[in-house]
Structures are given as C-alpha cells and as structure tokens.
Amino acid sequence: MLAYQSRPSHPSIVTIVSLLRWTILCYVIRIYAQEPPKIQPFSFPESVEEGEHIQVTCGLKTANKADTFKWLKDKLPITSGEEWTILNHGKLSVLILNGATTESSGNYTCIAQNYFGMDMLSAQLNVKGRPKWKEQPEDVVVGVGNSVSITCSAYGYPIPNIEWAFLDVPARFEEKFHVERVHRGDSVKLECDALGDNPMTISWNKDNDRLSRVDTGRYQIFDRTTEGGTLSEIQVHGVDHSDNGIFTCLAKNAYGEDQRTIKLIVLEPPSAPSDVRVDQTWSRSVRITWMMPYSGNSPVNKYIIQYWQNQGTPHRLEEETVSSAQTSTILYKLQPGTSYVVRVMAENDVGKGTPSENRHFLTSEEEPSASPTDVSVEARGAGTLHIKWKAPPKDQWNGQLKGYYVGYKETSSTDSYTYKHVTFSEGLSEEYLLQHLRKNTAYGIVVVAFNSAGRGPESQEIGKITKDTDPPTAPSLRVTAQSETTITIKWRQNKGDADMISHYILFYKENSNTWNEVTIPHIKKKEYVLQSLRPGSIYCLYLQAASQKGNSNPSKTLTVKTDGAAGPMEWNLHAVISGEEELPEYFRLPVLAPVSASVAIVILVVIVSCMAVKKEQTRYNRDIETVTEKIYPYSMNGTPPQRYVDVEKTRPLLQPPPPPPPFPLPPPPSDDYSAPYATLPVNDANNSTDRRRNFGIGSKSNEGSIDSRRQGDGNMIQERAEVHHHYDHAA
C-alpha cells in the first residue's frame, strides 16, 4: 500500500484501498456477530392423564432466529395432523398434543437450525393410563412336547408390572377416543368394537344421559357378535345441531369392563349475527356493527352485508363483503334522505348462514341537486302571473321536499330576486299565483326546491310581461247538494263583470288524481250539476270565469264527498247543465248539421250580393261599420269596442237592406244564451274575432246569419263540454 501512496499521479487508488480495508473489517465483524441457535430447556407436566391436551414450547436463548424447527418423538419426525399441531413463529416453536393417550408417552426432541449451526433438546412425556401391548399377543399353536416362546411386552405409566396367569379375556377397547365430523343433514354411524369373551353387553350415553334401546328417538342402536367380541353402533339420519356432543359406550363381560369416547362434531353454516346496529349515519354512508355468531364448528370466512332501499318501487339488492376479523363496516354510495334496510350474514366452508334481523335506517338529507322542471308562466290580468312547474326528478330530491321558493324581479332591474314560499304537495305539478305586480311590466321568474338540508339550484329564468287590464273577478262558489254520482254547485259573479264574461271553466279532481276541466256557458241561472262521479269519493273543485281579457283568479277550492260507499261503477259520459230548459230541436246536432250547411250557402249568397251592390254601398260604409259595432261587443282588430252612436242623428237615412235569403232561418236561441257565449269558441277566444269577420254586415239577412252562428256555436259548446267530460273520465 505504501507503493501506491508514493504515486501522486494516482490519488484515487489510495482511497479505494482504504475503503476496501474498512469494508473487509466490517464484514468480518458482521460474521463474528452470528452464531448457531441455543434452545432453552423445556419439559412436560409430571402428571398427565389420558384425554388431556398438552402444550410445550421450544424457545431460543440467543437473539438470532432459527431458520427451521423440527420435532421428533422417539427419534421419529412429527408432523401436524389430527394428533399433533406444530406452530412455528420466529424464535419459538409450540407443540400441541390433541388428546393425550398412553401411546403419546415417549421422548420428544426439539431441533433448531440456522445457517451457522443447530441445537437440539429432549424431554420425556409420561401419560398415565392402562397398560397397553407393545406387540399384540397372538395365539400360538404348538405340538405336544415341543417348546414354545410367548412374548409379553407392554407399556404405560407408571411402568406396568407383567405377570403371567391363565385367565379369561375381559371386555376392552383398543381405541379409547375418537372424533367424528359430519355435515348437518348427512347421516353418520358411530361404532364401538369391544374385544373380550362373550357374552358381553354394551351401553350408550350421550352427554352423560343414558340412551335407551327401546326409545332412542332419532338414534338407532344395533349390536352384533364378532369373532373377537361384540360390535355396537348408533346410526343417525339427518344430523342436526342438537346432535353435537360426547357419546360414550361401556362394554362389560364377566371378567371386566372398558369405555370408549366418541366426540360428534356437526359441521353447519354459521348462525345469524346478533345485535346488528346502525351506529352512525351520514348523508351518503352509514356505519354497521354486529356480534360474532356461532361458527357452526367451522371457522367463519367472511361476513356479507346486504342492503336495499326501502321506499318507492322495489330496488336492487346490494352486497358488501368483509373479512371474518371484522365486526363492523361502513357502507358507501348511498342516496341522501333515503330509507334503507340492512342485514348481515356469516359464511364458512360449509356455506352461508341465515341472515340477521332487518335493521332500518334513514340517511341524512342533502340539498336537492336538481331544479324544478317544466316551469311555465302565464299572464293573468294586470299585475298577476300564474306560475306552474313540476318537482325535480325524485332521485335528486336528496330527502323529502318541504316546498319551493318562487323568485321574481323586474327584468330591467339589477336587484336580487324576491322569493315567495310555496308548501310542497303530493300532486304531479305545482302552481302559484303571483299577484300585486306592476302592470305591463316584464318580470323574470325562477323556482327553487328545498328540503330540511337547504335549497337546490334555481330553474332557468323565464321572462313574462304582465297585462295592463284585469280579467273578471273570481266567482263565489258553493255546493248546494250532492248524491252518490253528482255534485250540484252554484256561484255568484260580480255584476260589473257580466258583460265581459264569455263562459266558465270548472276544474275538478278525485282525491290526488289529475285535474279535469268542464266548460260551462255563461247562463242566467248560475248552477251546474257535475255528474258521473264515483260514490263515496272525495272531490276537489274550483271555478274560473273566462273572458277575452283573460281568466279570473280561481274561486275558493271546495272539497266534497259523494254519498254512498266507494266501489267500481260504470261511467256516464255526459254532463248536463242544471236549471235550464231543454235545448230547442233546431239546437241539436242532427238538425244543426244541415242548418249549418244552409247557413254557409246563405252567407255565400250574401257576399255575392254585397259585391254586386258595392258601388251603391260605398258611401254608406262608415255608417254600416257603426251598425256593426252595435251588433258586436268587440271590435274587429281586438281593440276595445267604440261607444255606440245613433246613426239616425249623424247620417241620412240608410238605403233599404238587401232582400232576405230564399229560405227561412231557424229562430234565435233562448235568452239564457247571451251573445258572448254564443259567439265564443271553446279553446281559443281569439278565434271568435276571426270568425266574425267572415259574416256579411248591415242587413237583416246578415243579422240572421249571426243569430244562426250563435245557435251553431251554442250547440258546439254544449257538445264540446260533453266531449271534455268524456275525455276526463277516460283519462
């Protein structure tokens, strides 16, 4: 190394040599730190009876672990099995003797070995018990006068004394203890084969209770004589849990007695886990605990947690599996504000056990995760908006909805929304009448659902402009009578609204079903009979007045129960108006159809006539328009009607009207059907104006056409009301 140090041109070589020296030194130190294992002395108990379970531990003195442990009995290797169990762990090895017998006596040696060597230590085990033959004596056949050698070799503890005598053979068993395992439901046979001189008797006990041969219940006992003694057996069919236990058989003859023990172990699925509890719940998870069940004589492999939703339509069964070491778990991915059912079952090598009792729990709520759907806004007169919507999808409620917030603000304003509270109902749709707003003003409307946890997201804003005029006031509705299938209603209307009202709309529904609509004409006697109802059912109903300015606010909603008991019935598909005389013959559909065709021809003739005299009528057009305004309560273009002016005072006398049509028109309807009702279509009020434009104006024949149209429309409304009634029942 000095030679290397004298070379300044190679300084790295010196460093490498020095490093190598320290590495070799550390390696040598490490080698000397290792040594062979050293076993601590061990011993067996001094007094061991047959049937006892014995355990002895072979441990090391040194800090080093052994690579392997081995056990010998009388210099023969021992392996884990039914008689012995060996458990090795680091610095020690445990030998367990399952049920000691006299054959278990002997010299036991523990051997520990690692890379550096080995060590061994022995101890003697003596099991007290009856002497047993090392070699079973056998009969010897010898000729007279010949010599014979008979070997008598026995073992036992204390060491037996051997004496020779000429005796008979007592009853005895070669195997004193036996374990029998059987699956529940199978059949099993337990045998006791006793040796000795006959006659011999064998009796059976189960858990110290005597089994009678006359009445053994599920056990059948059979005995038979063998060449060496007597064999007795018990047969059990369909083994169940109650058959677990210790069976003993006692053999007796004139020269002695002996006993044999059989342990019957019934293997079955585990029992149901007990004391299943829901310890903690959150919005999307829950903690479940339980107590360990009876294992069924086979170790539990795992637990299965089954759970499902407990509301609405049937839901899918969910399962979670946990190890047998756990008696609690947390279930995740649950729905907030939802009712669940949970149960636990155990499983071993035999199979799945019975499930525990069901436990119910409710997860905590979260704010709704979706906004209301199908939001619509309708202007209802000056400063009033009618808002309709549906609840968010049920799986996004995250609990039970408590209600809604209807938010509104002027579109041109930068202020935040003002909210109105609406209580949740179980209906398919919700509605709210927002009143006292500015006239002819644009508003933005949103709807928000909320539950106990808070509010969800807002719906998309919908803009709507309020009207500048008010519709009729709401009717004052009351019920005057009811029967099993009818409800009679009456109402009062503000007198100032009489001229603008065209018809009424009755809304009704049975219990929580959808609303049905019936159109009622504007009649003098404000009474109506709602027919074809279900006996013994609860109905809700309210009334609205309709006009060209819009529908009135709903009347007070009334709840009425029809007479009789609830049950199935055949539906009458017609609704009638009470308190009115029967319609004239010409007002019925079979007569109205040809009459309507005739009216159409008359109108065509009138139009042609008007065209022929157009020049003569030109100077009188303004006067004719004034007369037209007198005939119709509304203007042609939808604007408010002009005040009536007496033509006689402003213009010269009009020329005579055109001649009447070649055939007479039907007489006008009764006074109960006013002009607004007679000229109003059922569904679209705006169409009434368009239809008026198709008639000729300014002659008696034209007025006759108008009256005819009133008759036709009146009959149409009556028929349409019946169709509505039919449709509602069919729905």
Side-chain angles (χ1 to χ4, degrees):
M1 294 197 308
L2 293 176
Y4 290 110
Q5 292 176 355
S6 62
R7 297 180 181 178
S9 61
H10 299 283
S12 60
I13 297 179
V14 177
T15 304
I16 293 174
V17 172
S18 177
L19 179 60
L20 180 60
R21 179 181 62 185
W22 284 106
T23 303
I24 294 174
L25 178 59
C26 293
Y27 183 77
V28 172
I29 293 173
R30 186 176 181 184
I31 292 176
Y32 281 106
Q34 303 291 343
E35 59 183 4
K38 189 67 175 179
I39 300 176
Q40 292 182 349
F42 64 90
S43 62
F44 291 95
E46 293 183 0
S47 179
V48 178
E49 302 288 343
E50 282 192 314
E52 292 185 12
H53 292 267
I54 307 301
Q55 175 178 309
V56 65
T57 302
C58 176
L60 302 182
K61 294 181 180 180
T62 58
N64 297 328
K65 297 181 180 179
D67 294 336
T68 59
F69 280 98
K70 293 181 181 179
W71 286 89
L72 305 178
K73 179 181 180 293
D74 297 331
K75 299 183 180 181
L76 296 178
I78 299 175
T79 57
S80 291
E82 189 173 300
E83 184 177 0
W84 289 287
T85 300
I86 299 175
L87 302 176
N88 295 329
H89 187 272
K91 296 173 59 178
L92 57 86
S93 178
V94 179
L95 176 66
I96 301 173
L97 180 58
N98 303 318
T101 63
T102 54
E103 289 88 343
S104 303
S105 299
N107 186 272
Y108 288 81
T109 303
C110 175
I111 301 175
Q113 185 176 4
N114 64 13
Y115 180 80
F116 303 99
M118 63 175 291
D119 190 19
M120 65 176 60
L121 194 63
S122 300
Q124 181 69 30
L125 171 62
N126 295 314
V127 181
K128 292 182 179 181
R130 294 174 177 270
K132 293 186 178 180
W133 301 109
K134 289 185 178 180
E135 296 180 7
Q136 182 69 32
E138 297 179 355
D139 294 339
V140 177
V141 179
V142 62
V144 177
N146 293 336
S147 300
V148 62
S149 175
I150 300 175
T151 302
C152 183
S153 177
Y155 63 90
Y157 187 79
I159 298 174
N161 295 323
I162 299 176
E163 296 181 357
W164 292 89
F166 291 98
L167 298 175
D168 295 321
V169 180
R172 65 181 179 86
F173 294 103
E174 289 186 336
E175 185 181 37
K176 304 298 184 184
F177 182 79
H178 177 69
V179 177
E180 187 74 28
R181 292 179 172 86
V182 61
H183 285 82
R184 186 182 65 185
D186 292 349
S187 298
V188 66
K189 182 170 64 175
L190 308 179
E191 294 183 343
C192 277
D193 189 3
L195 301 177
D197 291 343
N198 289 317
M200 184 186 303
T201 61
I202 299 179
S203 59
W204 286 88
N205 289 356
K206 180 182 184 296
D207 296 331
N208 297 324
D209 294 331
R210 184 69 175 268
L211 296 179
S212 172
R213 294 177 181 273
V214 177
D215 184 15
T216 58
R218 300 176 51 253
Y219 305 129
Q220 296 177 322
I221 302 177
F222 303 95
D223 292 343
R224 61 185 176 88
T225 302
T226 64
E227 183 178 351
T230 300
L231 174 64
S232 180
E233 64 183 28
I234 291 181
Q235 293 183 358
V236 186
H237 300 285
V239 175
D240 62 22
H241 180 74
S242 63
D243 296 321
N244 277 299
I246 302 296
F247 291 79
T248 57
C249 52
L250 179 64
K252 289 183 179 181
N253 63 8
Y255 312 109
E257 65 181 40
D258 198 8
Q259 180 175 294
R260 170 176 164 82
T261 301
I262 302 175
K263 183 176 182 180
L264 180 61
I265 299 176
V266 179
L267 303 177
E268 56 185 321
S271 63
S274 60
D275 198 22
V276 177
R277 296 183 181 181
V278 180
D279 275 0
Q280 291 178 288
T281 57
W282 298 275
S283 60
R284 297 181 182 270
S285 58
V286 64
R287 178 182 176 84
I288 309 295
T289 63
W290 61 90
M291 296 293 292
M292 184 181 300
Y294 165 66
S295 67
N297 291 316
S298 179
V300 173
N301 297 331
K302 61 183 177 181
Y303 293 101
I304 302 172
I305 295 86
Q306 297 179 333
Y307 61 98
W308 61 93
Q309 291 188 20
N310 189 35
Q311 60 187 31
T313 57
H315 289 76
R316 183 179 62 183
L317 176 69
E318 303 286 351
E319 288 189 351
E320 292 289 341
T321 302
V322 299
S323 69
S324 59
Q326 295 180 234
T327 55
S328 66
T329 190
I330 296 180
L331 302 178
Y332 296 95
K333 297 181 180 180
L334 304 180
Q335 290 295 322
T338 304
S339 176
Y340 283 88
V341 179
V342 65
R343 65 186 184 186
V344 184
M345 66 174 65
E347 181 178 345
N348 59 14
D349 290 338
V350 181
K352 294 180 180 178
T354 56
S356 67
E357 294 183 356
N358 293 344
R359 290 290 181 265
H360 296 256
F361 66 89
L362 180 67
T363 54
S364 303
E365 294 189 355
E366 289 183 359
E367 301 89 345
S369 53
S371 60
T373 62
D374 298 344
V375 180
S376 63
V377 182
E378 177 187 359
R380 289 279 185 90
T384 301
L385 295 177
H386 183 224
I387 306 164
K388 288 186 176 181
W389 67 91
K390 293 182 180 179
K394 188 69 176 287
D395 58 354
Q396 298 187 57
W397 287 10
N398 298 336
Q400 178 58 48
L401 293 186
K402 297 296 184 181
Y404 303 90
Y405 294 118
V406 177
Y408 65 97
K409 69 174 182 178
E410 294 184 17
T411 305
S412 60
S413 173
T414 58
D415 296 339
S416 58
Y417 289 104
T418 300
Y419 291 93
K420 297 291 186 180
H421 173 268
V422 180
T423 304
F424 174 77
S425 68
E426 297 294 339
L428 298 178
S429 61
E430 306 279 357
E431 58 184 4
Y432 182 74
L433 201 63
L434 188 59
Q435 298 177 309
H436 310 299
L437 303 177
R438 293 177 181 270
K439 298 180 180 180
N440 196 26
T441 304
Y443 282 88
I445 306 297
V446 295
V447 184
V448 182
F450 71 91
N451 57 20
S452 298
R455 51 179 285 174
E458 295 178 346
S459 65
Q460 185 176 1
E461 183 183 89
I462 296 181
K464 199 68 176 180
I465 300 176
T466 57
K467 293 185 177 181
D468 56 358
T469 57
D470 288 322
T473 58
S476 177
L477 182 65
R478 61 191 176 97
V479 174
T480 58
Q482 73 268 359
S483 66
E484 290 188 351
T485 59
T486 64
I487 296 175
T488 302
I489 60 172
K490 287 187 177 181
W491 66 93
R492 289 183 300 174
Q493 188 69 44
N494 191 330
K495 293 183 179 180
D497 299 331
D499 293 338
M500 75 170 71
I501 294 177
S502 58
H503 62 286
Y504 293 92
I505 305 174
L506 175 63
F507 295 83
Y508 72 97
K509 68 175 181 177
E510 180 184 0
N511 296 328
S512 59
N513 295 337
T514 57
W515 288 96
N516 301 313
E517 297 183 19
V518 175
T519 301
I520 304 174
H522 184 35
I523 54 181
K524 287 184 178 180
K525 189 174 182 180
K526 296 178 174 55
E527 184 177 7
Y528 183 77
V529 178
L530 184 61
Q531 294 188 341
S532 303
L533 305 179
R534 191 186 298 273
S537 297
I538 297 176
Y539 287 86
C540 297
L541 45 91
Y542 66 89
L543 190 67
Q544 280 184 295
S547 72
Q548 284 191 336
K549 296 182 179 180
N551 296 346
S552 71
N553 291 335
S555 69
K556 181 179 180 181
T557 301
L558 304 180
T559 302
V560 187
K561 183 178 181 181
T562 54
D563 297 339
M569 65 172 290
E570 294 185 1
W571 296 91
N572 180 10
L573 302 182
H574 300 283
V576 301
I577 301 176
S578 172
E580 301 296 329
E581 296 180 358
E582 186 176 356
L583 293 176
E585 186 68 23
Y586 59 82
F587 224 37
R588 298 180 182 179
L589 186 60
V591 178
L592 183 62
V595 171
S596 299
S598 301
V599 170
I601 296 174
V602 171
I603 293 174
L604 180 60
V605 172
V606 170
I607 293 175
V608 173
S609 300
C610 290
M611 293 177 62
V613 296
K614 183 176 182 181
K615 292 182 179 180
E616 289 77 6
Q617 293 181 340
T618 301
R619 57 180 176 175
Y620 303 110
N621 281 341
R622 184 174 303 172
D623 297 333
I624 293 175
E625 291 177 358
T626 305
V627 174
T628 303
E629 293 172 357
K630 177 180 179 181
I631 295 176
Y632 295 104
Y634 302 99
S635 64
M636 300 303 166
N637 55 10
T639 59
Q642 302 295 324
R643 184 179 301 274
Y644 171 72
V645 180
D646 191 349
V647 179
E648 306 295 335
K649 297 180 180 180
T650 58
R651 293 288 182 181
L653 184 65
L654 297 176
Q655 292 184 358
F663 54 88
L665 294 175
S670 63
D671 294 337
D672 289 343
Y673 297 90
S674 60
Y677 159 68
T679 58
L680 181 71
V682 175
N683 294 325
D684 189 357
N686 294 329
N687 290 341
S688 60
T689 302
D690 296 337
R691 291 182 179 179
R692 295 190 189 105
R693 293 174 182 170
N694 294 330
F695 294 112
I697 301 174
S699 67
K700 293 183 179 179
S701 61
N702 290 340
E703 293 177 358
S705 300
I706 294 170
D707 290 339
S708 173
R709 183 60 179 174
R710 290 174 183 173
Q711 296 169 16
D713 284 349
N715 200 10
M716 180 188 301
I717 291 177
Q718 175 66 16
E719 181 183 357
R720 183 69 62 89
E722 294 176 356
V723 172
H724 260 288
H725 208 63
H726 183 191
Y727 175 79
D728 293 337
H729 287 307

